[in-house]
């Protein structure tokens, strides 16, 4: 008989008063901002950037550029393996909501946006590193990402997800700095011009096991394409305002964390290769520690190994063998 896991969803508002919980991965974009002496100013400035970006993209019937604001919810998903109340923080994502100040309407946005997972930290920062330790050539472990992918799809198919969210998630990430992207003639009014990569990245392969496909678009007012991971039809399953809520939110985070790419002073050309060593970029008024983020990813991966992978290894292996990708 197939094992059933239990999911619990919690929601908290991401505003200037936000403090990360003990179960939040500190490398997560919004959590990393909400630390230290500049935490409140960081959050205030980031939210202002998101609202300005949203209004610049949703410019119709918006002459003063202040019609909309974006409210963000942090969605934390805990998973109970043995139904004994011992929950593990499995996934954390963002949900956007749009406030139309002209009509006083609150519009549901997109869930997903930022994606946070301790098990992904384990896969990339523990398992992958140990697999390639002292090896001359890089390789990927057998079944890499399969457990994580199955757990994610199991959550999307759960009654808990369907009861809380009306549409499938869209996750928006940075492009890969070891790929080249070619601009196509395909242009969407909100997503902008589509780009095609010259090959598949490890991140693409990992997210494919989660049931997500990817397309690359450079929205208006942006200087580099973004990677949009989704289920179904990205261009037709979501409204323009929904898409803008994701673009403005994740485009802002990328300007903060990847300024060399997303706050560059030159716009990506027809043939584009991202460069994390690009010195011709501007910095935002937001403080964060990139080096600390890299170190914490390893710590968080080991946390997942200690509190999830090892204690439940036999249960997870048996469940994974029965659950088809």
């Amino acid at each position: 008989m197939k094992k059933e896991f239990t999911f619990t969803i919690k929601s908290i508002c991401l505003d200037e008063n936000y403090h990360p919980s003990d179960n939040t991965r500190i490398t997560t974009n919004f959590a990393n901002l909400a630390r230290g002496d500049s935490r409140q100013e960081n959050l205030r400035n980031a939210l202002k950037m998101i609202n300005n970006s949203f209004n610049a993209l949703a410019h119709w019937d918006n002459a003063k550029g202040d019609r909309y604001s974006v409210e963000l919810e942090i969605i934390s998903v805990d998973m109970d393996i043995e139904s004994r109340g011992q929950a593990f923080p499995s996934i954390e994502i963002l949900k956007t909501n749009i406030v139309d100040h002209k009509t006083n309407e609150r519009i549901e946005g997109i869930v997903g946006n930022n994606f946070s997972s301790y098990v992904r930290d384990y896969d990339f920062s523990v398992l992958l590193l140990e697999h390639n330790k002292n090896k001359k050539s890089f390789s990927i472990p057998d079944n890499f990402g399969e457990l994580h992918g199955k757990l994610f799809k199991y959550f999307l198919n759960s009654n808990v997800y369907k009861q809380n969210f009306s549409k499938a998630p869209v996750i928006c990430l940075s492009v890969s700095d070891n790929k080249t992207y070619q601009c196509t003639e395909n242009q969407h009014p909100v997503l902008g011009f589509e780009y095609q990569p010259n090959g598949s990245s490890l991140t693409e392969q990992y997210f494919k096991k989660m049931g997500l496909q990817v397309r690359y678009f450079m929205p208006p007012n942006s200087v580099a394409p973004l990677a949009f991971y989704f289920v179904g039809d990205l261009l037709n399953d979501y409204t323009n305002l929904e898409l803008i809520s994701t673009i403005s939110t994740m485009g802002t985070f990328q300007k903060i964390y990847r300024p060399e790419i997303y706050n560059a002073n030159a716009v990506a050309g027809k043939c584009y290769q991202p460069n994390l060593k690009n010195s011709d970029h501007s910095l935002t008024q937001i403080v964060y520690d990139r080096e600390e983020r890299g170190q914490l990813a390893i710590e968080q991966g080991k946390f997942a190994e200690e509190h999830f992978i090892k204690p439940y290894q036999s249960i997870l292996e048996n469940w994974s063998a029965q659950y088809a990708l």
Side-chain angles (χ1 to χ4, degrees):
M1 188 173 178
K2 190 178 289 185
K3 178 76 176 176
E4 297 291 334
F5 301 145
T6 304
F7 294 104
T8 304
I9 289 180
K10 299 174 184 175
S11 171
I12 185 173
C13 180
L14 174 55
D15 57 21
E16 63 182 58
N17 298 311
Y18 164 69
H19 288 270
S21 74
D22 293 337
N23 289 333
T24 294
R25 288 170 65 254
I26 299 303
T27 52
T28 303
N29 287 332
F30 48 79
N32 189 253
L33 292 182
R35 302 172 72 220
D37 295 338
S38 303
R39 55 164 304 282
Q40 193 167 49
E41 188 177 0
N42 279 346
L43 290 166
R44 190 181 296 128
N45 287 339
L47 293 168
K48 185 176 180 180
M49 288 172 65
I50 291 169
N51 288 334
N52 287 342
S53 175
F54 189 102
N55 282 291
L57 287 169
H59 51 78
W60 58 92
D61 289 338
N62 189 8
K64 293 183 179 179
D66 60 358
R67 176 170 176 172
Y68 302 100
S69 60
V70 179
E71 294 179 350
L72 299 175
E73 287 180 80
I74 301 167
I75 307 297
S76 301
V77 184
D78 290 343
M79 183 168 63
D80 190 338
I81 296 289
E82 297 182 302
S83 299
R84 295 181 181 176
Q86 299 292 320
F88 180 79
S90 60
I91 295 168
E92 206 161 48
I93 47 182
L94 275 182
K95 184 173 184 293
T96 59
N97 296 291
I98 305 147
V99 179
D100 185 337
H101 298 287
K102 182 176 180 179
T103 63
N104 292 321
E105 183 182 7
R106 193 169 183 269
I107 304 162
E108 187 175 3
I110 286 178
V111 66
N113 299 288
N114 191 92
F115 177 73
S116 175
S117 163
Y118 277 111
V119 177
R120 184 175 65 165
D121 274 346
Y122 165 76
D123 283 340
F124 279 93
S125 299
V126 177
L127 182 62
L128 192 62
L129 287 183
E130 289 180 357
H131 176 77
N132 286 284
K133 192 175 182 179
N134 300 324
K135 290 187 177 179
K136 292 182 179 179
S137 59
F138 179 83
S139 64
I140 301 170
D142 293 337
N143 303 322
F144 182 71
E146 283 196 12
L147 173 63
H148 183 270
K150 289 177 179 180
L151 290 172
F152 183 77
K153 289 199 286 188
Y154 186 75
F155 169 60
L156 290 195
N157 289 323
S158 70
N159 289 330
V160 171
Y161 184 90
K162 294 171 184 176
Q163 288 165 5
N164 283 274
F165 310 111
S166 60
K167 294 186 179 183
V170 176
I171 296 166
C172 184
L173 303 179
S174 168
V175 286
S176 171
D177 62 335
N178 59 11
K179 299 294 177 189
T180 301
Y181 299 84
Q182 190 75 37
C183 186
T184 71
E185 294 301 314
N186 189 35
Q187 184 182 15
H188 183 272
V190 165
L191 291 167
F193 279 102
E194 184 166 18
Y195 277 72
Q196 292 283 356
N198 64 343
S200 177
S201 67
L202 182 55
T203 299
E204 282 185 29
Q205 296 164 29
Y206 193 82
F207 274 72
K208 187 175 183 180
K209 291 183 178 180
M210 296 163 60
L212 302 175
Q213 54 187 308
V214 63
R215 293 177 75 170
Y216 299 89
F217 287 90
M218 185 165 76
N221 309 323
S222 300
V223 297
L226 291 160
F228 295 88
Y229 289 86
F230 59 95
V231 178
D233 187 341
L234 177 68
L235 275 62
N236 293 305
D237 289 349
Y238 305 93
T239 67
N240 284 345
L241 289 182
E242 287 173 342
L243 292 172
I244 290 172
S245 71
T246 287
I247 294 166
S248 59
T249 299
M250 298 313 298
T252 293
F253 283 135
Q254 298 300 354
K255 283 182 179 181
I256 296 166
Y257 292 114
R258 290 284 185 268
E260 300 89 344
I261 297 175
Y262 291 100
N263 219 27
N265 294 325
V267 178
K270 293 287 186 181
C271 183
Y272 175 64
Q273 180 165 10
N275 180 11
L276 284 171
K277 296 181 179 178
N278 171 36
S279 60
D280 185 25
H281 67 273
S282 301
L283 296 176
T284 63
Q285 300 294 311
I286 294 172
V287 181
Y288 80 104
D289 190 331
R290 180 182 287 176
E291 185 177 340
E292 181 194 47
R293 290 185 85 212
Q295 295 167 349
L296 284 170
I298 296 173
E299 291 180 23
Q300 291 167 171
K302 290 179 178 177
F303 172 86
E305 182 180 37
E306 179 183 351
H307 296 278
F308 186 74
I309 300 296
K310 286 185 175 179
Y312 303 112
Q313 187 168 4
S314 60
I315 294 175
L316 292 168
E317 286 176 354
N318 290 334
W319 174 84
S320 183
Q322 296 180 63
Y323 191 90
L325 265 173

